[in-house]
Amino acid sequence: MSEKEVRVRFAPSPTGYQHIGGARTAIYNWLFARRYGGKFLLRIEDTDRNRYVPESLEDILESMRWLGIDWDEGPEVGGSCGPYFQSERLELYQKYATQLVAEGKAYYCYCTSERLDELRKDQEANKEQVGYDRHCLNLTASELQELEASGAKKVVRFKIPREGRTVVCDQLRGELVFENKTLDDLVLLKSDGFPTYHLANIVDDHLMGITHVMRGEEWLPSTPRHVLLYQAFGWEPPEFAHLPLFLAPGGGKLSKRHGATSVREYREKCYLPEAVFNFLLLLGWNPGTDQELFTKEEALKIFGMERINASPVAFSVEKLDWFNGVYIRSLDATTLAKRALPYLIGAGLMEEHYSAAEFAYLESLIPLVRERLKSLPEIVEWTSFFLQEQLIPPAKEILIPRKMDQSQTLQVLEGACEALNEVSEDFLEAEVEAALRGLAIKLEMQDGQVFMPLRVAISGRTATPGIFETMRAIGKKRVLERIANAAQVLRD
RNA sequence: GGUCCUAUCGUCUAGAGGCCUAGGACACCGCCCUCUCACGGCGGAGACACGGGUUCGAAUCCCGUUAGGACUACCA
């Protein structure tokens, strides 16, 4: 690692919701900066006016905040290398483009998009290499004058040497050699005065002192041109690392039909940001040990480029679900109760303005349901029968277990009413357990045969936390009511 | 078509010439725990894309093939 301060950036374009792949790029850059005590900048590359989506800026920032990624320079926080919106740096790009033209390293091109389209079509038809033919480089002085006088639109093109080769040093792949003749003269400045990615990116990375560029692999093919641009300006290029792309589960490009592609969707699906962060961290990087669970603090101590893989990764949501469950289980009762609140309020199980006693009750339920949650919204179905005052009596079909008949079931319910009535008002687990196990012995039934109808009677479900603690939490009064109601269903 | 990248269980991966009868995690299956569902524990099935080299020895190095993917815009 070089001796100068590490400065890295995440440079999204505000063209839509923050993509999940971009989020990983942001995480890697952030971690790298934090690991080496450097700076992490956020730069908004809004140079395409056609694709600009105003809401996406807020979505990008919100996605970063949600994942817990803060930036040292950029929107909202400023910094000494600003502005951090490329649309506010236009003169800069124009200045550098003009400079290259003056030095003969770039030239004006007046070709219309129609001509360019036709050129490309012809090249494809003739199976030639596709690329700009330098038509405008060979314009005579009078032709040039005429075009200028006519007010024809022009762009600035970078004049790439036809000879030689350019070596790109990629931190993950080593030295990559490109023949310059396979590179055509790319546009640096568009006819509307806005720069292309290539110009703006290089100028800004240089001016902002970026030392390491970690970006998606889709940029690899244009990196030799970027290197050539650095050379043309006489600037030292940063280190490059091109991160492998995310693939859809079956291979192929990750798209909508394979599930969520934006950070926002995962947020809306109520994934814990810690889980998404951890999941993304391990998609393309590994610590070299068997450790898989990482807090940000742990990760930023050991993250480095050395252990980033170069091969593409299939994005499969199953492991994310596992991480999510792990992180939910790791939350303490108070935190989990707080995070569950919005869902319970949404489901009408809690009031917007709940009392301390109500919250305390919810908190007391958490140990019963925590192990069973894979996602936050599931809290609703696992706690509804605790939080509801009344329970709609379950239907016969669900009340009567397989391998039992109606009269046996009724026998259990009636017996339980009697036995539980004897238990103290505290309804302690041990007391409830003694009563119910005693009932099983008395009825000469298996414990399960007694417990299952009761479980359904008090919860309406066949899967609940342990029956004793569930009864305890529901309380004697409601338990007896529900069992009596269920028994009535069987008698009707 | 051209240029480039990549290639270990279904998926994420360990592996940087002998420690590999290829290790871990998710998912899957079985058993245990057990009042159900989970959690947890134990076990199982499951991979070096193919073909040539180099070497005493290759998942590991080289070449080719194949397969995925990216780029090939006045989009990023």
Side-chain angles (χ1 to χ4, degrees):
Chain A
M1 213 56 54
S2 81
E3 57 301 323
K4 61 182 176 187
E5 184 192 47
V6 165
R7 287 175 66 83
V8 295
R9 56 26 174 212
F10 176 55
S13 285
T15 54
Y17 293 141
Q18 177 57 57
H19 193 273
I20 195 75
R24 184 196 55 174
T25 303
I27 288 171
Y28 283 15
N29 276 288
W30 181 83
L31 247 15
F32 188 75
R34 294 292 171 263
R35 160 82 193 271
Y36 292 105
K39 293 282 187 282
F40 173 67
L41 335 203
L42 180 60
R43 186 175 70 220
I44 306 301
E45 309 220 324
D46 53 349
T47 55
D48 185 344
R49 296 136 109 204
N50 299 319
R51 294 206 307 152
Y52 179 68
V53 178
E55 312 86 80
S56 62
L57 172 64
E58 190 42 49
D59 186 74
I60 289 165
L61 301 185
E62 186 50 38
S63 296
M64 303 277 282
R65 286 190 283 256
W66 184 70
L67 286 167
I69 303 173
D70 58 339
W71 52 100
D72 303 301
E73 298 176 28
E76 295 182 341
V77 301
S80 54
C81 299
Y84 294 89
F85 289 84
Q86 290 188 327
S87 60
E88 295 170 20
R89 302 168 64 83
L90 262 29
E91 337 65 68
L92 236 32
Y93 310 126
Q94 283 155 8
K95 178 187 133 194
Y96 283 106
T98 311
Q99 179 192 320
L100 285 186
V101 172
E103 291 171 353
K105 293 169 179 169
Y107 58 95
Y108 292 114
C109 168
Y110 300 85
C111 291
T112 60
S113 51
E114 288 74 29
R115 174 174 190 277
L116 261 17
D117 286 345
E118 210 157 302
L119 174 66
R120 195 163 27 242
K121 239 178 273 170
D122 287 350
Q123 289 167 332
E124 276 166 12
N126 299 330
K127 298 206 190 294
E128 287 170 25
Q129 185 182 321
V130 176
Y132 186 60
D133 62 355
R134 290 197 158 174
H135 175 262
C136 291
L137 183 60
N138 305 316
L139 254 29
T140 64
S142 63
E143 283 171 324
L144 223 54
Q145 222 163 28
E146 199 173 314
L147 279 162
E148 268 306 319
S150 73
K153 298 240 180 209
K154 65 182 177 200
V155 302
V156 174
R157 278 186 190 274
F158 184 39
K159 192 170 146 191
I160 286 185
R162 283 278 168 84
E163 308 294 317
R165 48 190 57 164
T166 300
V167 176
V168 170
C169 186
D170 183 271
Q171 297 295 301
L172 313 183
R173 288 163 253 263
E175 293 196 342
L176 310 174
V177 181
F178 296 79
E179 295 291 337
N180 290 345
K181 61 172 183 280
T182 65
L183 277 19
D184 73 335
D185 293 351
L186 70 162
V187 172
L188 297 177
L189 203 64
K190 303 182 233 179
S191 58
D192 63 1
F194 277 64
T196 58
Y197 170 93
H198 309 287
L199 207 222
N201 195 265
I202 270 65
V203 167
D204 286 349
D205 280 349
H206 172 72
L207 260 26
M208 295 181 181
I210 299 302
T211 55
H212 303 264
V213 169
M214 259 184 275
R215 73 220 308 189
E217 194 187 334
E218 71 269 25
W219 293 109
L220 197 49
S222 42
T223 307
R225 303 167 203 246
H226 297 167
V227 170
L228 254 9
L229 254 180
Y230 277 104
Q231 288 171 4
F233 282 122
W235 297 337
E236 190 195 339
E239 306 280 2
F240 290 103
H242 290 91
L243 305 176
L245 264 13
F246 283 175
L247 262 34
K253 202 171 176 153
L254 183 62
S255 64
K256 282 283 163 214
R257 51 188 292 268
H258 302 104
T261 55
S262 69
V263 175
R264 160 185 286 249
E265 287 168 278
Y266 288 93
R267 206 188 328 147
E268 286 170 351
K269 285 184 172 176
C270 313
Y271 281 96
L272 265 47
E274 307 85 309
V276 174
F277 184 98
N278 201 147
F279 173 64
L280 256 18
L281 170 66
L282 261 18
L283 233 40
W285 175 85
N286 73 82
T289 65
D290 284 345
Q291 185 178 355
E292 293 205 287
L293 265 14
F294 289 93
T295 61
K296 287 186 186 60
E297 292 65 35
E298 289 172 315
L300 64 82
K301 278 186 199 136
I302 58 172
F303 182 85
M305 286 193 199
E306 318 78 43
R307 301 201 65 88
I308 298 178
N309 279 318
S311 47
V313 285
F315 186 93
S316 147
V317 86
E318 284 162 345
K319 191 134 186 183
L320 171 59
D321 288 336
W322 175 75
F323 275 118
N324 203 48
V326 169
Y327 278 95
I328 284 179
R329 272 173 252 132
S330 75
L331 298 177
D332 63 74
T334 310
T335 308
L336 184 47
K338 276 185 192 152
R339 286 170 99 149
L341 229 26
Y343 306 105
L344 297 171
I345 292 169
L349 291 168
M350 293 278 286
E351 296 291 334
E352 192 89 40
H353 301 287
Y354 50 87
S355 68
E358 283 167 337
F359 186 80
Y361 180 60
L362 173 61
E363 226 179 313
S364 76
L365 300 177
I366 299 300
L368 310 198
V369 304
R370 184 167 37 202
E371 308 298 307
R372 296 165 170 86
L373 298 177
K374 276 209 185 73
S375 71
L376 238 26
E378 283 173 10
I379 189 91
V380 171
E381 49 176 292
W382 280 102
T383 57
S384 62
F385 51 92
F386 291 106
L387 297 171
Q388 286 162 337
E389 195 48 44
Q390 306 279 333
L391 189 76
I392 297 164
K396 276 185 192 178
E397 299 75 59
I398 171 168
L399 216 35
I400 303 169
R402 271 184 278 276
K403 296 180 183 169
M404 278 176 80
D405 60 29
Q406 177 149 338
S407 75
Q408 283 177 300
T409 307
L410 190 55
Q411 214 183 344
V412 168
L413 296 181
E414 288 173 337
C417 265
E418 212 172 297
L420 291 171
N421 201 32
E422 301 300 313
V423 175
S424 79
E425 292 304 312
D426 288 342
F427 227 45
L428 298 179
E429 275 170 49
E431 297 173 333
V432 172
E433 175 164 6
L436 295 184
R437 290 206 195 273
L439 179 63
I441 292 167
K442 187 179 152 197
L443 296 177
E444 296 183 322
M445 288 184 181
Q446 306 274 312
D447 285 346
Q449 290 181 291
V450 171
F451 299 166
M452 190 47 90
L454 292 171
R455 179 189 317 284
V456 176
I458 62 168
S459 72
R461 309 162 35 109
T462 54
T464 69
I467 188 81
F468 316 127
E469 57 253 60
T470 298
M471 284 193 173
R472 154 90 221 267
I474 292 175
K476 183 173 178 179
K477 178 170 166 286
R478 284 193 294 167
V479 165
L480 289 176
E481 267 171 26
R482 290 178 187 187
I483 295 173
N485 289 343
Q488 193 55 45
V489 168
L490 293 182
R491 291 193 200 98
D492 288 342

